[in-house]
Amino acid sequence: EAGVAQSPRYKIIEKRQSVAFWCNPISGHATLYWYQQILGQGPKLLIQFQNNGVVDDSQLPKDRFSAERLKGVDSTLKIQPAKLEDSAVYLCASNAPGPGEQYFGPGTRLTVT
Amino acid sequence: GENVEQHPSTLSVQEGDSAVIKCTYSDSASNYFPWYKQELGKGPQLIIDIRSNVGEKKDQRIAVTLNKTAKHFSLHITETQPEDSAVYFCAARRGGKLIFGQGTELSVKP
């Protein structure tokens, strides 16, 4: 079974630029999550999708972050404009319906200079 | 909302010794407690989990205990090996949302 795929793996941008991350969850997994992991901290949930609907985006800084999952499969997370404090690893995770395990992708390491 | 505290932040042990990592949570409605291992450059990987109706669970060298009354749970790794070196995260889930602890960097010295 293929795991959660993310791209790119690394990205360096200057502040005020925009950036987008892509995630392909495990086939059949209806629930998809985006997490932000700042160095030395645990992952923090940004947004949760159930199919193509948003379940929880209470922690998403909506003035600069946006996410979509148009066909209920792949998802993109965008930051525009980026700030220095957005430097982090952005993790995508998915799980099958029900209270199952969340499977994480390898993450995208973003550096904002 | 839920808050998860994890201790210690770093832990160094000799190969073959045991390692214990402890977490406390604040929301008594949390009902699922996974532990993740994260190696450098990789995403977190589930190593063991426990549900609120169980007090202890073991899988080979790894065990987790849960005390619902005190709202704390612990990860126990016995006979540690160098490949156990990584960052370990506890988490608590209420509904569909996982709240993670701050992580413990475990170093196993040969």
Side-chain angles (χ1 to χ4, degrees), chain A residues 92-108:
Chain A
C92 180
S94 69
N95 69 262
E101 172 186 352
Q102 284 190 25
Y103 294 85
F104 283 83
T108 296

PDB file of all heavy atoms in Angstrom, chain A residues 92-108:
ATOM      1  N   CYS A  92       1.207  16.325   5.950  1.00  0.00           N
ATOM      2  CA  CYS A  92      -0.114  15.891   5.530  1.00  0.00           C
ATOM      3  C   CYS A  92      -0.346  14.500   6.112  1.00  0.00           C
ATOM      4  O   CYS A  92       0.578  13.682   6.184  1.00  0.00           O
ATOM      5  CB  CYS A  92      -0.195  15.846   4.006  1.00  0.00           C
ATOM      6  SG  CYS A  92      -1.793  15.310   3.361  1.00  0.00           S
ATOM      7  N   ALA A  93      -1.555  14.239   6.550  1.00  0.00           N
ATOM      8  CA  ALA A  93      -1.898  12.924   7.094  1.00  0.00           C
ATOM      9  C   ALA A  93      -3.282  12.527   6.590  1.00  0.00           C
ATOM     10  O   ALA A  93      -4.084  13.376   6.206  1.00  0.00           O
ATOM     11  CB  ALA A  93      -1.865  12.937   8.620  1.00  0.00           C
ATOM     12  N   SER A  94      -3.539  11.229   6.605  1.00  0.00           N
ATOM     13  CA  SER A  94      -4.869  10.767   6.219  1.00  0.00           C
ATOM     14  C   SER A  94      -5.246   9.558   7.046  1.00  0.00           C
ATOM     15  O   SER A  94      -4.382   8.881   7.603  1.00  0.00           O
ATOM     16  CB  SER A  94      -4.917  10.423   4.721  1.00  0.00           C
ATOM     17  OG  SER A  94      -4.159   9.266   4.414  1.00  0.00           O
ATOM     18  N   ASN A  95      -6.538   9.310   7.169  1.00  0.00           N
ATOM     19  CA  ASN A  95      -6.981   8.058   7.775  1.00  0.00           C
ATOM     20  C   ASN A  95      -8.296   7.622   7.152  1.00  0.00           C
ATOM     21  O   ASN A  95      -9.060   8.429   6.619  1.00  0.00           O
ATOM     22  CB  ASN A  95      -7.041   8.120   9.308  1.00  0.00           C
ATOM     23  CG  ASN A  95      -8.120   8.996   9.857  1.00  0.00           C
ATOM     24  OD1 ASN A  95      -7.894  10.132  10.209  1.00  0.00           O
ATOM     25  ND2 ASN A  95      -9.338   8.479   9.938  1.00  0.00           N
ATOM     26  N   ALA A  96      -8.527   6.343   7.266  1.00  0.00           N
ATOM     27  CA  ALA A  96      -9.748   5.738   6.737  1.00  0.00           C
ATOM     28  C   ALA A  96     -10.932   6.165   7.608  1.00  0.00           C
ATOM     29  O   ALA A  96     -10.732   6.654   8.720  1.00  0.00           O
ATOM     30  CB  ALA A  96      -9.594   4.219   6.725  1.00  0.00           C
ATOM     31  N   PRO A  97     -12.138   5.995   7.124  1.00  0.00           N
ATOM     32  CA  PRO A  97     -13.307   6.351   7.947  1.00  0.00           C
ATOM     33  C   PRO A  97     -13.288   5.632   9.284  1.00  0.00           C
ATOM     34  O   PRO A  97     -12.902   4.472   9.379  1.00  0.00           O
ATOM     35  CB  PRO A  97     -14.488   5.879   7.080  1.00  0.00           C
ATOM     36  CG  PRO A  97     -13.980   5.949   5.695  1.00  0.00           C
ATOM     37  CD  PRO A  97     -12.519   5.575   5.777  1.00  0.00           C
ATOM     38  N   GLY A  98     -13.705   6.326  10.340  1.00  0.00           N
ATOM     39  CA  GLY A  98     -13.719   5.740  11.668  1.00  0.00           C
ATOM     40  C   GLY A  98     -12.507   6.172  12.473  1.00  0.00           C
ATOM     41  O   GLY A  98     -11.642   6.870  11.970  1.00  0.00           O
ATOM     42  N   PRO A  99     -12.425   5.729  13.717  1.00  0.00           N
ATOM     43  CA  PRO A  99     -11.352   6.172  14.626  1.00  0.00           C
ATOM     44  C   PRO A  99     -10.056   5.416  14.406  1.00  0.00           C
ATOM     45  O   PRO A  99      -9.507   4.809  15.303  1.00  0.00           O
ATOM     46  CB  PRO A  99     -11.947   5.861  16.000  1.00  0.00           C
ATOM     47  CG  PRO A  99     -12.826   4.679  15.772  1.00  0.00           C
ATOM     48  CD  PRO A  99     -13.401   4.853  14.393  1.00  0.00           C
ATOM     49  N   GLY A 100      -9.544   5.446  13.202  1.00  0.00           N
ATOM     50  CA  GLY A 100      -8.334   4.688  12.891  1.00  0.00           C
ATOM     51  C   GLY A 100      -7.086   5.526  12.992  1.00  0.00           C
ATOM     52  O   GLY A 100      -7.106   6.702  13.309  1.00  0.00           O
ATOM     53  N   GLU A 101      -5.980   4.873  12.681  1.00  0.00           N
ATOM     54  CA  GLU A 101      -4.666   5.495  12.731  1.00  0.00           C
ATOM     55  C   GLU A 101      -4.544   6.566  11.668  1.00  0.00           C
ATOM     56  O   GLU A 101      -5.016   6.413  10.543  1.00  0.00           O
ATOM     57  CB  GLU A 101      -3.609   4.426  12.500  1.00  0.00           C
ATOM     58  CG  GLU A 101      -2.188   4.956  12.336  1.00  0.00           C
ATOM     59  CD  GLU A 101      -1.197   3.868  11.971  1.00  0.00           C
ATOM     60  OE1 GLU A 101      -1.582   2.682  11.996  1.00  0.00           O
ATOM     61  OE2 GLU A 101      -0.039   4.208  11.655  1.00  0.00           O
ATOM     62  N   GLN A 102      -3.872   7.664  12.028  1.00  0.00           N
ATOM     63  CA  GLN A 102      -3.510   8.685  11.053  1.00  0.00           C
ATOM     64  C   GLN A 102      -2.137   8.325  10.484  1.00  0.00           C
ATOM     65  O   GLN A 102      -1.200   8.085  11.234  1.00  0.00           O
ATOM     66  CB  GLN A 102      -3.432  10.067  11.702  1.00  0.00           C
ATOM     67  CG  GLN A 102      -4.780  10.690  11.989  1.00  0.00           C
ATOM     68  CD  GLN A 102      -4.677  12.137  12.409  1.00  0.00           C
ATOM     69  OE1 GLN A 102      -3.724  12.834  12.075  1.00  0.00           O
ATOM     70  NE2 GLN A 102      -5.673  12.605  13.165  1.00  0.00           N
ATOM     71  N   TYR A 103      -2.050   8.296   9.170  1.00  0.00           N
ATOM     72  CA  TYR A 103      -0.788   8.025   8.488  1.00  0.00           C
ATOM     73  C   TYR A 103      -0.230   9.347   7.970  1.00  0.00           C
ATOM     74  O   TYR A 103      -0.936  10.086   7.287  1.00  0.00           O
ATOM     75  CB  TYR A 103      -1.008   7.064   7.313  1.00  0.00           C
ATOM     76  CG  TYR A 103      -1.439   5.679   7.732  1.00  0.00           C
ATOM     77  CD1 TYR A 103      -2.779   5.385   7.976  1.00  0.00           C
ATOM     78  CD2 TYR A 103      -0.503   4.654   7.877  1.00  0.00           C
ATOM     79  CE1 TYR A 103      -3.176   4.115   8.350  1.00  0.00           C
ATOM     80  CE2 TYR A 103      -0.899   3.378   8.250  1.00  0.00           C
ATOM     81  CZ  TYR A 103      -2.241   3.119   8.487  1.00  0.00           C
ATOM     82  OH  TYR A 103      -2.634   1.857   8.866  1.00  0.00           O
ATOM     83  N   PHE A 104       1.039   9.585   8.283  1.00  0.00           N
ATOM     84  CA  PHE A 104       1.655  10.851   7.915  1.00  0.00           C
ATOM     85  C   PHE A 104       2.539  10.696   6.676  1.00  0.00           C
ATOM     86  O   PHE A 104       3.192   9.661   6.479  1.00  0.00           O
ATOM     87  CB  PHE A 104       2.518  11.376   9.058  1.00  0.00           C
ATOM     88  CG  PHE A 104       1.731  11.992  10.167  1.00  0.00           C
ATOM     89  CD1 PHE A 104       1.165  11.211  11.160  1.00  0.00           C
ATOM     90  CD2 PHE A 104       1.552  13.368  10.229  1.00  0.00           C
ATOM     91  CE1 PHE A 104       0.426  11.779  12.184  1.00  0.00           C
ATOM     92  CE2 PHE A 104       0.822  13.947  11.251  1.00  0.00           C
ATOM     93  CZ  PHE A 104       0.261  13.154  12.232  1.00  0.00           C
ATOM     94  N   GLY A 105       2.580  11.756   5.886  1.00  0.00           N
ATOM     95  CA  GLY A 105       3.542  11.838   4.805  1.00  0.00           C
ATOM     96  C   GLY A 105       4.881  12.314   5.343  1.00  0.00           C
ATOM     97  O   GLY A 105       5.019  12.608   6.532  1.00  0.00           O
ATOM     98  N   PRO A 106       5.892  12.424   4.452  1.00  0.00           N
ATOM     99  CA  PRO A 106       7.238  12.810   4.886  1.00  0.00           C
ATOM    100  C   PRO A 106       7.367  14.297   5.210  1.00  0.00           C
ATOM    101  O   PRO A 106       8.336  14.699   5.855  1.00  0.00           O
ATOM    102  CB  PRO A 106       8.110  12.444   3.688  1.00  0.00           C
ATOM    103  CG  PRO A 106       7.180  12.538   2.527  1.00  0.00           C
ATOM    104  CD  PRO A 106       5.840  12.100   3.025  1.00  0.00           C
ATOM    105  N   GLY A 107       6.406  15.093   4.755  1.00  0.00           N
ATOM    106  CA  GLY A 107       6.451  16.520   5.073  1.00  0.00           C
ATOM    107  C   GLY A 107       7.165  17.352   4.028  1.00  0.00           C
ATOM    108  O   GLY A 107       7.955  16.840   3.216  1.00  0.00           O
ATOM    109  N   THR A 108       6.863  18.639   4.044  1.00  0.00           N
ATOM    110  CA  THR A 108       7.571  19.631   3.231  1.00  0.00           C
ATOM    111  C   THR A 108       8.224  20.611   4.194  1.00  0.00           C
ATOM    112  O   THR A 108       7.544  21.234   5.008  1.00  0.00           O
ATOM    113  CB  THR A 108       6.610  20.405   2.311  1.00  0.00           C
ATOM    114  OG1 THR A 108       6.015  19.502   1.380  1.00  0.00           O
ATOM    115  CG2 THR A 108       7.363  21.500   1.559  1.00  0.00           C
TER     116      THR A 108
END
